[in-house]
Each structure stands twice: as structure tokens, then as C-alpha cells.
Amino acid sequence: MRLYDTLDRELKELRPLDGTTYRFYCCGPTVYGPAHIGNFRTFVLQDVFRRTLETSGTRTFHVRNITDVDDKTIRDSQAAGKSLKDFTGFWTEKFHADCEALGMLPPHVEPGAVDHIPQQIAMIATLVEKGNAYASEDGSVYFNIGSYPAYGKLSRLDTRELELGKTQNERANSDEYEKDSLSDFVLWKGRKPEDGENYWASPWGEGRPGWHLECSAMIQEYLGADFDLHGGGEDLMFPHHENEIAQSKCACGGHFAAHWFHSTHLLVDGGKMSKSKGNFYTLDELKAKGFTAMELRYVLIGAHYRKQLNFTLDSLHGAREAMAKLAKGQRNLAAKVPADVVLSSVDFGPFQAAWEALTDDLNTAGCLGGLFTGLRESVKLEGEDAAKALAAFNRILRALGLTLPEEEPEAEVPAEIRALAEERWAARTAKDWAKADAMRQQLTGLGWNMKDGKESYELSPVS
Ligand code: AMP
Ligand code: ZN
């Protein structure tokens, strides 16, 4: 499989460093509310990435953290009148439920920051000892970015330096992103009154770890100084991933991630998703509008991960139709498979192009296109050939993590059409044939066929 590496800026063949298992890390959610569909674009693409590797026969080891202590989790747990543990526990469970509905494989390890305080303190101590970090008067510890000359390679700071202005002596103590300033960043945050009961003892006084540090500490614990790949949304590249690289390389030596995988942000209605614009969606909100998690998954993988994806509610209708078509093709193919078939060989057959798209820089959009083309080509297949094609189709679906609807979905009938149909059915039952005929024509004119049965009727769109 080939994938674009954000650091080296080229497509690279993926081979496990240890020769057997592809070991990778993804920055996980901050659990202070439900994850939104943008977060899920990133997580679902990482899931397809993993499934594709596994489908191609490579074992994987997937680590994704849970950020369960930071400025936002503390602030909102207090507002909710809950302990940090109860508050983040609740939102972690919600995240897991959404992930399951979206067909995502759980990571092999999912460490939380609060459970790894000693590892984080140990890493800070190493950085202080090596001269990369310093304690300040407010009880916080900062990473000195001047001590790591390669700082900024991933996000090309060298070309952006003029824009940012190099302000070496500035410090950032907030967990929020400091998008346009270059500064020493916080590793340990000295205890403040607003932290409430959320602090731990350390050699530098009471406090809590900074957000950037947890990923470096988890990686050291579960993947070591060298591992295969690191992923996240494009917003994490600077400063979060730059900071991770600086911390880990200085504390542990090693090369850190051999490959960087960043996906583009999801746009909604052509712009940024925001609560004030009313275009901020969670899975539950889309379910309340009548859509399924799988329809969302289909939309989220509908564009290449390096291309902008613009989400609209309309795209969910499109996903419903597309999945119904795929399901129909799958049923037609299955109907031609003999009951006692034993496959003598396995290949992707008419779905070769779909598979190649997926393994060539995770082109999910190309892969979906290839599924439709493959189904069209499969129409002529019979017997074992049909069985092989069906197996290939299902294999690619598993790589995409898509589950298709089992039954032909009933077309959504608008309320006014349903009302007319009811009125016509009543006329027919009353043997008012003239009215029943006129109303049938009226419905056809509105785009709906009404088929009368003995006990009831069926409506279907005029094709
Ligand atoms: P957070 O919970 O904010 O730490 O984010 C979790 C993941 O979602 C990170 O990998 C982010 O880069 C990613 N993310 C946040 N917003 C979006 C978005 N609009 N589109 C795609 N990914 C996003
Ligand atoms: Zn991270």
C-alpha cells in the first residue's frame, strides 16, 4: 500500500518497521462533549486505513488516546457539577457508542491521560535533565523550542517564519491551539485555583500535564521511540504534532513516526462548522433527522482524504441512494452464486480497480466508483466467477467498513402524498371509482405510482 507522507511530502510504500506488524498512533478525542462529524471524518478515515492494511494481509497495532484532562474538560466538568472522572467517563462512553455505530474497529490500546501521569512526569524529568525544558516561577515547566533546532519541519515553519515572527521568549500555557505564534510550550501546568481538585504532585510542585505531552508519553509507553505512522486531522500538524516530535525526539532519541498521515478538515455548507451558524452536527443530530450512521460513514469516505469534503444534508440522501444501488448489485450477484460453490482462488476480478484505488493513497472516492463499475461488469458473470466477484466485492466493503442495507429501502413518501393516497384508498373502499381513478392520475402527475393490493396499497416513485 502507498500513502502520502506529510513530512517527506511524497507517496511512500508502507512496510512495517519490525517486518510483521504495522504499529501506528492517532491522536484521539478530547472528551468534554459529543464528537462532531468533522472529528469522525478523521477517525473513520483512520479506520479505513487500518482495515485496508489488514485486508492486504498486514497485521496492525493501533493506539489512540483519550484526552481526559485539559482546560476544557476541567472547565466543563465543573460547570456540570461532576468530578472530572465521571464527566469524561460519560463522554468517553458516548464516543465509543458513536464509533461502534459508525462501524469503526476499536483501537488495540486506548490509553487515557489521567491514567498515565507518572509516565508524563518521567518524560518531563528527562527533558529537564537533558536541558530541553525549564521550570518557571509559576510552578510550570516549559519546553525550550530553541533547544531543538529541527523544530517546525513537519509544518514547514522555515517558510512560515516571517509570518509567525520568531518570538523565542514567549510562552504558551494554554491547551488551546496557538495557531499563529511560535513559543515555548507548557509541559507541566502549575496548579491554579480554577483547577479545583484536578492536580497531581510532581518534582515541580502540584499541577497537571500539558496537552501536547500526553501523546508523547503514551507513544513512548506503547510504541517506543520508533514506530510506523502517526495520524490526525490537518489542524494538529502545528503546533501539536511539532511539539510531540520535539518532546519525543529530545526525550527518547529515535526517529519517532516513520510516516505522517494527515486528513483534510471537513467543511459544512462550504464553511467551518460552528454552533452559531447552526451547521454543527453530531451523529445523534443526524439520526434525529432520519439518517443512519452508515449513511454518514458513506459520506465521510466519499472524498479523498487529502481533498476538501463539503458536507451537506443532501449528501446523506445521495449516500442512501448509492448504498441502495450497491446493495441491489450485491443481491443480484448473490442470486447467481451456486449453493455449493468452493472458490479455487481469490482475486479481485472486476473489482481490481476498486482495490487498487484504495491501496494507492487511500483513494476511498475512487474505490467507491470502482465498486459501481465492478458491479456493472459482474452482470454477465455466472457460477464460480459470480461467486469470486461477490467475495471480492464483500472484501472491499469490509475494508471500507461499510454495511449495506439488507432490504430494499422503502422510498420516503412525503406527508402530502401519503394523505392523498389515504384519501384515494378511502374512495376506492367506498367504491367511488371515478374519484379513485382521478386521484390515481393526480398522484402519477405528482411523481408517485399507487399500486392497489387486497388489504392495502404500495407507493413507489414513477421511474
Ligand atoms: P479533538 O477532539 O478536538 O482533539 O479532535 C479529534 C480529531 O478530530 C483530531 O484528529 C482533529 O484533527 C480532528 N478534527 C477536528 N475538527 C475536524 C474537522 N472539521 N474535520 C476533520 N477532522 C477534524
Ligand atoms: Zn497527539
Side-chain angles (χ1 to χ4, degrees), residues 26-32 35-43 46 67 72 177 211 231-237 241 263-268 272-273:
C26 301
C27 298
T30 309
V31 282
Y32 67 110
H36 58 64
I37 59 171
N39 300 136
F40 280 123
R41 179 182 193 209
T42 295
F43 295 135
Q46 290 161 348
T67 298
K72 290 178 286 191
Y177 306 160
W211 170 54
E234 61 180 350
D235 60 315
L236 296 188
M237 215 185 305
H241 288 160
S263 39
T264 310
H265 259 202
L266 179 78
L267 297 182
V268 175
K272 215 177 139 111
M273 200 173 5

Side-chain angles (χ1 to χ4, degrees), residues 25 27 65 211 215 230 236 240-241 244:
Y25 183 89
C27 298
N65 70 309
W211 170 54
C215 291
H230 194 313
L236 296 188
H240 182 57
H241 288 160
E244 280 190 35

